[in-house]
């Protein structure tokens, strides 16, 4: 029986349309193999939406996303929109999309592919075999807490304020995602906070510790965020699954990403309690290479694979795409960001063609 899925595509800005085109071709190819059909609907977001409507997240885009089975985002932003008022910037649209879809959990894998170990800036013996999943809380913490703003004091001096706040229920729901993710992986969960200084982090640690009694098969540890950052660089293989708040997760997930040598290889998933998830590469829009066929589409393609696995419950299709990526790397094809001696340099379009060839080979 054919499975039919409605997917909203947010190609966004910069290299977004180029890498999205490759992901759509790959999804259609694997769909034909496994009797899956996709109804793709394009919507505007980010800089492209600002240029067309004046808003980074038009209401019709949010409506289309809510009416989907999953949302696939490419990349947003660029120099062109950097000086706009904060409420009009592309990144504000992304925060609005996460909040509008109720996406409170961000899953960011940092996995070292054996083909790319030497692309890492760290020594081979440090990073070889690293496989980390960072589970980041997305809709609370300092990015959303109130009060916030720039205020004038009684003396006329300006004072910037942001509030880091979490309720027990917010901590519990992201904590459960962390424990359940660890159960599916290596059974180890490290909760990262700053409980030695921040009251909100003390509540975080208390709740995560309390939750651990429901997951006796998961080994729980705690680290302060400064030590966690150091340990990620010093001995990253000690980590399996990390769960942390919005601000700390924003920083640590990027640090973990760079262990792999290229942020251009990494996907992510943002999930809510129900409704469609959001799947996107962790890299930016790279406006300096947009339209030049230089972009690496693999993170976008792997985001599509995460969409199939975590958003659409189609693990076999996800497996096929992930195997195709490995096969293309086995064949020696590399975009510029992951190029190394003896490999064959290709552009975005040719990398997409090689992925389709790898899928055909696997199907045969």
């Amino acid at each position: 029986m054919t499975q039919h899925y409605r997917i909203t595509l947010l190609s966004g800005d910069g290299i977004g349309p180029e890498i999205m085109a490759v992901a759509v071709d790959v999804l259609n190819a694997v769909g034909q193999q496994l009797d899956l059909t996709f109804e793709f609907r394009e919507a505007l977001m980010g800089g492209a939406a600002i240029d067309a409507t004046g808003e980074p997240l038009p209401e019709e885009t949010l409506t289309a996303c809510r009416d989907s089975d999953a949302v696939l985002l490419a990349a947003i932003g660029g120099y062109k929109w950097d000086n706009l008022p904060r409420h009009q910037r592309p990144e504000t649209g992304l925060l609005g999309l996460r909040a509008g879809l109720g996406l409170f959990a961000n899953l960011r894998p940092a996995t070292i592919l054996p083909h790319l170990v030497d692309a890492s800036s760290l020594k081979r013996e440090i990073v070889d075999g690293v496989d980390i999943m960072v589970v980041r809380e997305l809709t609370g913490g300092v990015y959303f807490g109130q009060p916030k703003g720039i205020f004038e004091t009684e003396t006329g001096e300006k004072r910037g304020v942001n509030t880091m706040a979490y309720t027990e229920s917010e901590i519990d729901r992201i904590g459960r995602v962390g424990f359940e993710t660890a159960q599916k992986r290596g059974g180890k969960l490290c909760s990262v906070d700053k409980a030695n200084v921040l009251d909100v982090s003390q509540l975080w640690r208390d709740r995560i510790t309390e939750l651990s009694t429901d997951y006796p098969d998961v080994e729980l540890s705690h680290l302060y965020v400064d030590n966690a950052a150091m340990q990620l660089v010093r001995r990253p293989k000690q980590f399996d699954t990390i769960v942390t708040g919005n601000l700390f997760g924003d920083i640590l997930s990027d640090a973990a990403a760079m262990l792999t040598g290229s942020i251009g290889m990494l996907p992510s998933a943002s999930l809510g309690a129900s409704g469609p998830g959001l799947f996107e590469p962790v890299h930016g829009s790279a406006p300096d290479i947009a339209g030049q066929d230089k972009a690496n589409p693999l993170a976008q393609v792997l985001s599509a694979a995460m969409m199939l696995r975590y958003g659409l419950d189609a693990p076999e299709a996800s497996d096929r795409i992930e195997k195709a990526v490995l096969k293309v790397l086995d064949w020696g094809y590399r975009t510029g960001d992951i190029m190394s001696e003896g490999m064959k340099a290709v552009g975005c379009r040719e990398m997409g063609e090689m992925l389709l060839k790898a899928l055909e080979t696997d199907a045969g």
Side-chain angles (χ1 to χ4, degrees), residues 124-331:
R124 169 181 280 267
E125 59 266 28
I126 299 293
V127 296
D128 191 12
V130 163
D131 182 5
I132 301 170
M133 180 71 81
V134 179
V135 178
R136 167 191 170 191
E137 201 286 325
L138 268 188
T139 57
V142 74
Y143 294 167
F144 291 92
Q146 295 289 344
K148 67 177 179 179
I150 298 174
F151 307 99
E152 192 169 301
T153 68
E154 293 176 356
T155 64
E157 184 181 22
K158 288 184 177 178
R159 181 170 182 257
V161 175
N162 288 90
T163 302
M164 182 182 283
Y166 275 114
T167 63
E168 289 180 313
S169 59
E170 287 174 321
I171 298 167
D172 287 359
R173 69 179 184 176
I174 191 66
R176 291 195 182 281
V177 173
F179 280 106
E180 289 164 13
T181 301
Q183 284 178 322
K184 297 171 186 174
R185 291 172 47 81
K188 291 171 59 180
L189 180 66
C190 179
S191 175
V192 174
D193 58 43
K194 193 63 176 167
N196 58 334
V197 175
L198 300 175
D199 292 331
V200 62
S201 280
Q202 186 59 60
L203 178 62
W204 178 283
R205 184 170 291 211
D206 291 345
R207 292 310 306 161
I208 296 294
T209 301
E210 179 70 22
L211 276 178
S212 67
T213 60
D214 294 339
Y215 302 90
D217 54 336
V218 175
E219 177 188 332
L220 175 64
S221 60
H222 301 273
L223 282 179
Y224 299 139
V225 63
D226 44 350
N227 189 20
M230 182 181 71
Q231 295 295 333
L232 271 174
V233 178
R234 176 176 173 266
R235 196 161 60 87
K237 281 183 276 192
Q238 69 183 281
F239 295 104
D240 172 44
T241 306
I242 294 172
V243 65
T244 190
N246 208 340
L247 174 63
F248 300 155
D250 194 357
I251 297 166
L252 293 180
S253 56
D254 273 9
M258 283 314 299
L259 297 172
T260 68
S262 175
I263 207 166
M265 289 295 299
L266 298 175
S268 74
S270 299
L271 308 173
S274 61
L278 174 68
F279 304 85
E280 60 180 309
V282 305
H283 60 68
S285 62
D288 53 319
I289 61 168
Q292 300 176 37
D293 194 35
K294 293 181 178 179
N296 181 351
L298 293 181
Q300 185 72 61
V301 169
L302 290 170
S303 295
M306 283 193 84
M307 178 182 74
L308 289 163
R309 186 179 308 281
Y310 292 100
L312 304 178
D313 195 24
E316 185 180 354
S318 180
D319 288 343
R320 289 201 183 197
I321 291 176
E322 291 170 353
K323 287 177 184 175
V325 169
L326 293 176
K327 187 165 288 188
V328 169
L329 294 173
D330 278 336
W331 290 343

